[in-house]
Amino acid sequence: MTVTSWTFVMVGLSFALYIGVAIWSRARSTKEFYVAGGGVSPLANGMATAADWMSAASFISMAGLISFLGYDGSVYLMGWTGGYVLLALLLAPYLRKYGAFTVPDFVGDRYYSQAARMVAVICAIFVSFTYVGGQMRGVGIVFGRFLEVDIATGVYIGMGIVFFYAVLGGMKGITYTQVAQYCVLIFAYMVPAIFLSILITGNPIPQLGFGGVDQVSGVGVLERLNGLHQELGFAAYTGGTKSTLDVFFITAALMVGTAGLPHVIIRFYTVPRVRDARISAGWALVFIAILYTTAPAVAAFARTNLLNSVSDRPYAEVPEWFSKWEETGLIAFDDVNGDGRIQYVGPSAVDAAGAPIRNELTIDRDIMVLANPEIAGLPDWVVGLVAAGGLAAALSTAAGLLLVVSTAVSHDLLKRGIRPDITEKGELVAARVSAGAAVVVAGYLGIHPPGFVAEVVAFAFGLAASSFFPVIILGIFSRRTTREGAILGMVSGITLTAAYIVYFKFIDPAANNAAHWWFGISPEGIGTLGMAVNFLVTWSVSRVTPEPPPSVQVLVDLIRVPRGAGEAHEISA
Amino acid sequence: MADHSSGGSGGHGHVSVTDPEQRARREGYWKRNIKYLGILLGVWFLVSFGFGILWVEPLNSVTIPGTDFPLGFWFAQQGSIYVFVILIFVYVALMNRLDREFDVDEGDES
């Protein structure tokens, strides 16, 4: 069987599994389905959270970015895991105790203000749209390669599937579908990683093989990679080129953004007790860490294989995968010096005479994880499996995000906001329409992306970090925080962050370099500054405005202790 | 204002806001919670922002024995993640004990 037919088989089998789980979870009564006292078990919730959380960015894009960025790619690894510590220690138990269904609900009640609720709704929609845009590009890349069409067509196909899957199909039983998707995606990620690790280092555990010895050259994997990089004029793999301050800011924005993402936060309302919310965050991080500690190993192996298989090879002799990816437009070769060989070199490459060598090869970072099994010559079924895993990651996250967008519009904006008299049917229609609109906008962003998948997603984190995180934290940890403080804080944080990103990514992209950035902070890291501004504004405005009413202060006292938590919510729409 | 109380799903005891004895207990509970948070988040900051970013270069001159990992690079791409997982489970254990000590836990049945 060919790669394409294996892809159809693997994708088909995985979809059959999700549909099966969805039917099974619908057929049984809700009561039977959830553990006693209502709610999902912490372990299952942790797994569903991991699937919800690990998107096309984690699965498809991240290892590729790391393999090109080397040490600088650590921002994604630390940023997207460290946030769970904040989530478990600072947010999850208290939000579970409070028991509101959405983040805007919590903000609206804690800050006794309809205006605060509306600001939170707008922030939630804005964050989720940005995030879902990154997913669509990921789906487009998978289809583009395996159906051998260009990216735009791949995105249209992906839009159709996401629409069918998440909008028309409804979302009941989403938790158990996500558990199944986690199993598919982690299996699809680990199989090629283990293969590669054995091939290159002889050690079946990628996390250890990564620090082991390359069997061909007898030199350490990282040492060899640093050597190749130096030879070809790239920066050292373990060194990196970003400034320390920028690495610090990007990592912080990703961590705090993780803890402020509405589609992750709502998962902690589904467990029975406060203590379950705590441990559930722990399980989620265990399941995430399995992929996140493997990713840098995959990145290093992929980089080694890529340099070995394309560097200085005659163009006429390139392997099949190279030509297939060329068709999608994601690999481009331009024989600048006309010698018919591929010069893939970094900015500081020089030839024997000391004259600079020009690079002739452009590779889209997002293809690395998908191309990796082919580059290493793994069996065709592994290639198909990876495609199915990438789709599982993108679809589970897209579904979670669409859920947030549609509840934000139907529940927070209409029902509890501007149209309290809306009928149940009207609410449902509004939810479907808004999810549909989200798919269309996401598709547009997928075709005209302002960056690689992981970068687009990084902007969503900056926006989440600068809007929700400070007002939720201060709402729990400081009784004195007032609605005026919270509203001004959210508005100033998200405005600053969005303006900075829009300026450098859309208005004046030519100026997007360290010389023009404030203090050398890139648009990916600006969310940290936005968050600091939000904290400062919220805290200081709260000191000069009338203190919150006694009922709100009582509420804050009550959410600080676990006893007396209400029933768990079922996620459905 | 009337005594604002809500029934615990744990089934034993009520949470009262106005009762001074309960209030003092809650204050004590919260103080300990903040202390735990300070220590755990200190470790969180140290392994990621400290070892993985601020001091990554000096640490990279050390190679982890038996492997090819420069220490700072390892913390940035592996070690910090392992520590994060451990931190959450330590937090869960500490807080479950604290909940029982201050009698604000949710009971064993759910």
Side-chain angles (χ1 to χ4, degrees), chain A residues 352-372:
Chain A
I357 309 175
R358 288 179 61 191
N359 180 40
E360 302 177 337
L361 188 66
T362 8
I363 303 171
D364 190 293
R365 278 92 174 122
D366 286 341
I367 71 171
M368 286 311 293
V369 167
L370 295 171
N372 208 10

Side-chain angles (χ1 to χ4, degrees), chain A residues 36 70-71 74 78 81-82 88 94 207 210-211 220 222-223 255 273-275 278 282 293 296 558 560 562-563, chain B residues 4 8 12 15 17 29-30 33 44 49 52 68-69 76-78 80 82 84 88 91 99 103-106 108 110:
Chain A
Y71 164 76
S74 314
M78 287 186 284
T81 52
Y94 309 110
Q207 285 84 344
F210 176 35
L222 292 167
E223 201 185 329
M255 282 189 184
R273 295 168 301 184
V274 172
R275 53 192 281 193
R278 292 181 193 135
T293 52
L558 287 175
R560 288 180 179 184
R563 183 172 296 169
Chain B
H4 183 116
H12 62 103
V15 179
V17 171
Y29 171 82
W30 191 245
N33 178 23
W44 166 81
F49 293 99
D68 187 39
F69 283 122
Q77 300 212 336
Q78 298 273 300
S80 58
Y82 300 133
F84 294 154
I88 297 184
Y91 169 75
D99 289 350
D103 192 27
V104 291
D105 63 301
E106 299 159 287
D108 286 327
S110 59

Side-chain angles (χ1 to χ4, degrees), chain A residues 489-548:
Chain A
M490 284 191 286
V491 169
S492 55
I494 202 165
T495 309
L496 173 84
T497 308
Y500 195 84
I501 292 171
V502 167
Y503 179 80
F504 283 114
K505 282 287 165 181
F506 299 102
I507 298 176
D508 193 2
N512 190 10
N513 55 56
H516 296 92
W517 295 337
W518 291 353
F519 320 110
I521 301 168
S522 63
E524 286 177 281
I526 197 68
T528 306
L529 193 68
M531 172 195 73
V533 168
N534 184 339
F535 263 116
L536 203 69
V537 169
T538 307
W539 194 84
S540 40
V541 171
S542 294
R543 292 296 166 291
V544 296
T545 41
E547 68 173 71

Side-chain angles (χ1 to χ4, degrees), chain A residues 1 29 58 64 68 91 111 121 133 161 251 259 286 336 366 402 416 431 443 447 484 486 499 535 537 543:
Chain A
M1 285 212 301
S29 77
S58 299
F68 284 82
L91 297 177
Y111 292 111
V121 170
I161 290 181
T251 307
V286 168
V336 184
D366 286 341
L402 291 173
R416 309 245 354 219
I447 296 167
E484 293 82 359
F535 263 116
V537 169
R543 292 296 166 291

Side-chain angles (χ1 to χ4, degrees), chain A residues 204-424:
Chain A
I205 302 167
Q207 285 84 344
L208 301 178
F210 176 35
V213 170
D214 182 303
Q215 287 192 313
V216 182
S217 60
V219 188
V221 172
L222 292 167
E223 201 185 329
R224 173 139 179 269
L225 208 43
N226 278 338
L228 282 170
H229 267 217
Q230 199 185 6
E231 206 178 293
L232 296 171
F234 294 100
Y237 189 79
T238 55
T241 56
K242 284 183 169 49
S243 74
T244 301
L245 187 76
D246 199 24
V247 170
F248 192 100
F249 268 70
I250 296 174
T251 307
L254 296 179
M255 282 189 184
V256 175
T258 299
L261 278 181
H263 75 288
V264 174
I265 292 176
I266 61 165
R267 289 233 62 98
F268 295 98
Y269 299 135
T270 62
V271 291
R273 295 168 301 184
V274 172
R275 53 192 281 193
D276 299 324
R278 292 181 193 135
I279 192 124
S280 185
W283 286 124
L285 187 58
V286 168
F287 294 126
I288 291 165
I290 296 173
L291 189 145
Y292 271 63
T293 52
T294 308
V298 170
F301 299 149
R303 186 72 182 163
T304 311
N305 276 340
L306 177 76
L307 294 178
N308 282 339
S309 57
V310 301
S311 188
D312 210 32
R313 181 187 275 259
Y315 181 65
E317 291 171 21
V318 292
E320 194 197 346
W321 61 265
F322 190 97
S323 333
K324 293 275 187 201
W325 281 106
E326 263 187 319
E327 285 164 25
T328 63
L330 296 174
I331 284 187
F333 170 66
D334 175 19
D335 197 3
V336 184
N337 62 4
D339 68 351
R341 298 178 89 87
I342 300 169
Q343 267 83 42
Y344 178 57
V345 294
S348 52
V350 286
D351 62 18
I357 309 175
R358 288 179 61 191
N359 180 40
E360 302 177 337
L361 188 66
T362 8
I363 303 171
D364 190 293
R365 278 92 174 122
D366 286 341
I367 71 171
M368 286 311 293
V369 167
L370 295 171
N372 208 10
E374 289 176 281
I375 298 177
L378 298 185
D380 287 350
W381 65 268
V382 177
V383 181
L385 183 65
V386 171
L391 288 175
L395 288 175
S396 59
T397 306
L401 288 164
L402 291 173
L403 182 74
V404 168
V405 171
S406 54
T407 48
V409 172
S410 62
H411 177 83
D412 297 316
L413 189 67
L414 296 176
K415 185 79 181 173
R416 309 245 354 219
I418 53 180
R419 283 280 303 280
D421 57 336
I422 192 168
T423 62
E424 216 164 89

